[in-house]
Amino acid sequence: MYGLYDKEGILRFVDSDKDACIAYAELFELGSTNYCLMDLADDTKKVKGYTNPNQSLEVYNN
C-alpha cells in the first residue's frame, strides 16, 4: 500500500498501486515538491483478544 501525503502531512490518498497515487497528485495538480509518497507496511501485528486503546481517553461532558 502507498500513501500520498500533502506538504502539511495530511494523508490525501491511499492505494496499492504507486502509479494511481501519482495520478491522483497530477489530477489535483500537486507538484512533486508538494507531496510525499510513502510505502505503507502491510504486515501489522494482531493483538490477541479485544483491547480498547481509547478507554482512558473518555471525556465526560455535563
Side-chain angles (χ1 to χ4, degrees):
M1 293 298 288
Y2 293 92
L4 186 130
Y5 294 83
D6 65 13
K7 65 182 179 181
E8 282 95 29
I10 298 172
L11 180 62
R12 299 280 300 262
F13 187 77
V14 175
D15 199 285
S16 61
D17 183 15
K18 183 178 179 179
D19 293 331
C21 291
I22 294 171
Y24 176 92
E26 291 173 355
L27 176 67
F28 289 97
E29 299 178 353
L30 298 173
S32 62
T33 59
N34 292 327
Y35 72 87
C36 174
L37 187 60
M38 296 186 67
D39 187 6
L40 305 175
D42 284 334
D43 56 356
T44 57
K45 294 182 180 178
K46 296 187 179 187
V47 177
K48 291 181 182 179
Y50 175 76
T51 59
N52 183 358
N54 296 323
Q55 190 174 24
S56 63
L57 299 176
E58 292 181 10
V59 176
Y60 297 98
N61 292 327
N62 291 335

